[in-house]
Amino acid sequence: MSIYLDHAATTRPRPEVVAAMDAVLDDAWANPSSTHAFGRRARAALDDARESVARDLRVDAREVVFTSGGTEAINLAIKGAAWAGKARGHQLISTAVEHEAVLNALAHLEKFGFEVILLPVDRYARVDPDALSAALTERTVLVSLQYVNNEVGTVQPLAELVRRARMQRHVLVHVDAVQAAPWMDLDVPALDVDLVSIAAHKLEGPKGVGALYIRRGTALLAQQHGGSQERHRRAGTENVAGAAGLARALHLARQERPDVPERARGLRDRLRDAVLAVPGVELTGHPRDRAPGHLSVVVRDADGQSLVTALDLEGIACSSGSACAAGSTEPSHVLTAMGYPPEEARGALRLTLGRSTTTEEIQIACRVVPEVIARVREGSRALVADTPAAPAARVPVSVPDSVPDARGGYEPRDPE
Ligand SMILES: *Cc1c(COP(=O)(O)O)cnc(C)c1O
């Protein structure tokens, strides 16, 4: 028995997606830029995919650029907007709980003289709109906001944040909607933003393909140079099969709402109740405003990575919220920004459900996860029996009312 509860990391491409990609690889495999009949078939497949994605985002097909994934879409949005807006200002605003793609793109720009402000978050990983208002200046070029957090599932109060950002004219707003796209409708005109990043593999599409919505008229400097593909915004022969897979995955996800999210929420709540019934286990992220399939907790007196390994042996695939760098476990920048001290953050455990998660799987997980937590705690207690650990001090959490320039505990992992 193997149970996959790591859908926030990636998802298995669904059969309809594989079939759509297979058809393209079989029949529309040529270069879409070729003018012969083969090329025209590939062009038609690419156009179809673009129109489908555009319809599902309720935007124009010319506003959709295919990329090699969420990371590239985010890099194009942030670096492209920053460089194009450099004459107007050099300030970039984002949040302390972003994905590494956002944080490291910003850290890169800092080396070229851009000023980066990372807004703090509350206990639930939510950004205070007042903090955004206070940070905005005439020199702000871009505000980059995450819609749904990948580690703790929190949904940001996006409408209010965007409304605040819009009070400063000329500011571009980018939304990392990679974790939102599987669960929520992305009605882009209603969001009133300029740039939106999505990735296929988080919504049962293939890895290595994503899309960036670029509102018509938005000045953006290309970040990859070469041919004139994607209306000069992203050079390179297009991944036609990937685009077709993304289009199919996005469309099916949208068609299946609200049923799939509602079902996932019901199963997630059952698992949540079973896991939170274990003493010393605390939910991380917002209790209600969170992705329907997302459960994240911190387990006191246990190491997240040990829990993941022990659960893997029991056939349950999940992850620890914290990133592990070469053997040494660093506390997650997200939990750190939320105010969790390192000794609590190291007990992070993330169980994320998907469309294909079954009731039987959750029944098993409801029994096995608490058992494994108890067993791992026993083990770590045995190990530290003669070296009593210092009591974990709780760091008081407050939402600063002034504009912070704190980096939220985040250090770029791979400095260039
Ligand atoms: C996965 C993820 C990304 C990166 O997307 P890739 O396609 O894996 O490059 C960016 N942001 C969030 C919130 C994610 O979950």
Side-chain angles (χ1 to χ4, degrees):
M1 187 68 183
S2 347
I3 302 175
Y4 187 75
L5 293 177
D6 202 13
H7 289 85
T10 198
T11 56
R12 178 178 178 167
R14 57 191 298 173
E16 304 93 320
V17 164
V18 175
M21 296 178 70
D22 205 46
V24 167
L25 291 170
D26 215 32
D27 183 56
W29 47 266
N31 191 324
S33 298
S34 301
T35 55
H36 46 62
F38 293 92
R40 290 199 302 276
R41 273 216 292 287
R43 170 62 56 188
L46 186 63
D47 288 348
D48 284 350
R50 197 185 311 279
E51 271 153 30
S52 172
V53 169
R55 261 196 310 277
D56 284 323
L57 301 179
R58 299 179 179 84
V59 302
D60 193 279
R62 285 166 296 185
E63 297 173 305
V64 175
V65 167
F66 288 117
T67 66
S68 68
T71 297
E72 193 199 323
I74 289 166
N75 271 266
L76 175 54
I78 292 179
K79 294 178 188 166
W83 287 117
K86 185 99 166 80
R88 265 201 335 272
H90 61 276
Q91 192 196 56
L92 310 168
I93 300 177
S94 190
T95 84
V97 293
E98 297 297 318
H99 188 273
E100 281 82 359
V102 170
L103 293 174
N104 282 332
L106 291 170
H108 171 81
L109 288 167
E110 248 178 350
K111 294 182 195 127
F112 295 90
F114 286 94
E115 180 200 351
V116 175
I117 293 181
L118 297 181
L119 301 171
V121 295
D122 65 13
R123 183 74 184 158
Y124 302 126
R126 287 201 302 190
V127 177
D128 179 1
D130 289 339
L132 173 58
S133 291
L136 282 164
T137 73
E138 308 241 289
R139 287 166 291 108
T140 310
V141 176
L142 175 75
V143 175
S144 184
L145 301 165
Q146 179 178 73
Y147 203 161
V148 172
N149 185 268
N150 48 310
E151 283 188 35
V152 297
T154 298
V155 180
Q156 291 294 343
L158 194 66
E160 181 58 17
L161 290 168
V162 173
R163 199 178 69 78
R164 299 299 184 94
R166 289 276 166 244
M167 288 179 176
Q168 192 61 250
R169 287 200 317 137
H170 306 304
V171 166
L172 292 180
V173 181
H174 166 244
V175 175
D176 171 0
V178 172
Q179 291 285 344
W183 305 110
M184 302 145 75
D185 257 355
L186 296 177
D187 182 348
V188 172
L191 291 177
D192 185 29
V193 298
D194 307 288
L195 301 153
V196 179
S197 297
I198 59 171
H201 76 101
K202 303 285 172 73
L203 37 80
E204 299 184 271
K207 272 157 275 294
V209 61
L212 177 64
Y213 157 77
I214 307 174
R215 192 203 288 251
R216 191 186 336 224
T218 303
L220 211 69
L221 230 59
Q223 297 301 305
Q224 176 155 296
H225 306 99
S228 60
Q229 292 90 351
E230 300 294 304
R231 305 166 75 81
H232 296 278
R233 290 170 300 193
R234 199 272 183 182
T237 301
E238 302 89 339
N239 176 1
V240 184
L246 167 60
R248 195 89 196 101
L250 185 67
H251 188 66
L252 290 169
R254 191 180 149 205
Q255 269 189 334
E256 291 163 356
R257 290 186 199 113
D259 301 2
V260 166
E262 264 165 26
R263 190 173 153 279
R265 188 187 303 278
L267 292 176
R268 189 274 317 271
D269 286 353
R270 279 175 65 181
L271 182 59
R272 176 199 62 198
D273 293 348
V275 175
L276 293 184
V278 181
V281 178
E282 190 192 312
L283 186 77
T284 55
H286 200 279
R288 290 177 314 278
D289 291 338
R290 58 187 302 132
H294 200 292
L295 175 63
S296 57
V297 297
V298 284
V299 179
R300 222 163 279 236
D301 306 318
D303 171 61
Q305 202 46 53
S306 309
L307 291 167
V308 169
T309 305
L311 283 164
D312 188 30
L313 288 172
E314 298 291 334
I316 296 181
C318 61
S319 70
S320 171
S322 64
C324 286
S328 73
T329 315
E330 302 171 36
S332 132
H333 70 277
V334 173
L335 293 174
T336 302
M338 291 161 73
Y340 287 88
E343 53 299 353
E344 283 181 33
R346 52 176 277 286
L349 185 66
R350 182 182 75 176
L351 300 147
T352 46
L353 291 67
R355 180 186 59 88
S356 51
T357 304
T358 66
T359 308
E360 294 69 42
E361 288 177 332
I362 292 305
Q363 265 163 1
I364 295 169
C366 283
R367 179 174 52 76
V368 171
V369 176
E371 280 171 14
V372 166
I373 290 173
R375 196 166 358 108
V376 168
R377 276 175 169 165
E378 279 305 312
S380 60
R381 226 168 268 137
L383 279 174
V384 297
D386 42 11
T387 49
R394 160 138 269 137
V395 170
V397 183
S398 61
V399 184
D401 47 16
S402 61
V403 180
D405 49 14
R407 310 241 10 166
Y410 180 78
E411 288 299 330
R413 298 231 165 74
D414 184 22
E416 288 143 278

